[in-house]
Amino acid sequence: MLSMLGTGGYFDAPPAEDEKLDILNTPYYLSSLSFLFTKFLLFCTAVFGSYGLYKDYKHKAHAFIYSFPMNNSTFLIGKLWSALFAILCFWIASYSGIYLGELLLGSEHPQLLSDSIFGYLVAMGVYLLPTLITVGFFVFVAVGRTRNFYAGFVVILCFALFQVLLEQVLFQFPGALAILDPFGQNAFLMATKDCGFHLKNGQNNP
């Protein structure tokens, strides 16, 4: 919410009438904004997405669950769905805050489009949610295999370090960097590097 308010000039003086302003609720800018807090959401996913599984193993609650007509795979699938539900809640909460910032700026704000649903769908469904689900799955598997809560954080740090390593090694090969980037950030930058002002401020998917 604060990111949207700050970018929209909520705390600043009104812009000049002849100043060129970026539209903040287009697919391009909402997607750009999502990359700012993707890694934070991934750490939240590591905490809440796998904590229940870790606690069950730590306190041996899974042995009690197995006494019912439930096998190991059913137990793990249920835990995985609960982790994905936690990821979905963080996904919705993150963009709810951005949308609240948009509402506080007001529908008459010069940097906002009246119909912004498509921009949110693109940013949420194309860029952020697949990343959260994919990395969240690896976090869940790591915690389940090692039965160590901190394994989830190690997985996320490995993904982040892998991204940094790719950027240092493949900086002259943007195509390969875009394909191998685990967070999709470099793919987004490559796809939008030639976008002009009007394309970035339109409703077309970058």
Side-chain angles (χ1 to χ4, degrees):
M1 181 182 70
L2 293 177
S3 298
M4 175 63 80
L5 291 175
T7 309
Y10 186 80
F11 308 105
D12 302 327
E17 293 185 2
D18 58 344
E19 184 178 350
K20 259 185 152 181
L21 299 175
D22 293 320
I23 305 300
L24 303 178
N25 54 357
T26 59
Y28 175 83
Y29 283 101
L30 288 174
S31 300
S32 300
L33 190 61
S34 70
F35 289 117
L36 295 177
F37 51 83
T38 295
K39 293 182 179 65
F40 171 74
L41 289 179
L42 289 174
F43 279 106
C44 292
T45 299
V47 174
F48 296 98
S50 58
Y51 186 70
L53 179 65
Y54 164 74
K55 292 291 286 185
D56 283 347
Y57 280 131
K58 180 180 179 181
H59 298 291
K60 303 188 184 304
H62 63 291
F64 173 75
I65 295 174
Y66 292 164
S67 65
F68 290 87
M70 181 184 301
N71 55 28
N72 186 28
S73 61
T74 304
F75 167 73
L76 291 175
I77 290 174
K79 284 296 180 181
L80 176 60
W81 278 111
S82 66
L84 293 178
F85 178 75
I87 293 172
L88 182 64
C89 290
F90 279 108
W91 173 64
I92 294 174
S94 61
Y95 279 93
S96 296
I98 295 176
Y99 187 69
L100 180 59
E102 180 180 329
L103 293 179
L104 291 175
L105 289 174
S107 59
E108 302 299 325
H109 196 278
Q111 290 181 266
L112 296 177
L113 295 174
S114 57
D115 184 14
S116 61
I117 299 300
F118 179 72
Y120 283 94
L121 291 177
V122 170
M124 294 167 67
V126 176
Y127 295 107
L128 183 58
L129 184 60
T131 300
L132 293 180
I133 291 178
T134 303
V135 179
F137 176 78
F138 280 101
V139 167
F140 183 84
V141 170
V143 173
R145 294 289 295 178
T146 63
R147 302 189 179 187
N148 189 327
F149 176 64
Y150 298 102
F153 294 98
V154 173
V155 168
I156 293 176
L157 289 175
C158 287
F159 271 106
L161 290 175
F162 181 65
Q163 183 192 40
V164 173
L165 180 64
L166 286 176
E167 291 175 346
Q168 296 300 318
V169 175
L170 299 177
F171 65 94
Q172 292 183 332
F173 306 95
L177 179 59
I179 294 173
L180 296 175
D181 186 354
F183 302 125
Q185 185 173 0
N186 286 286
F188 174 80
L189 294 175
M190 178 183 174
T192 58
K193 65 179 181 179
D194 297 324
C195 292
F197 178 82
H198 294 290
L199 185 57
K200 290 180 180 179
N201 288 276
Q203 287 286 35
N204 293 327
N205 186 6

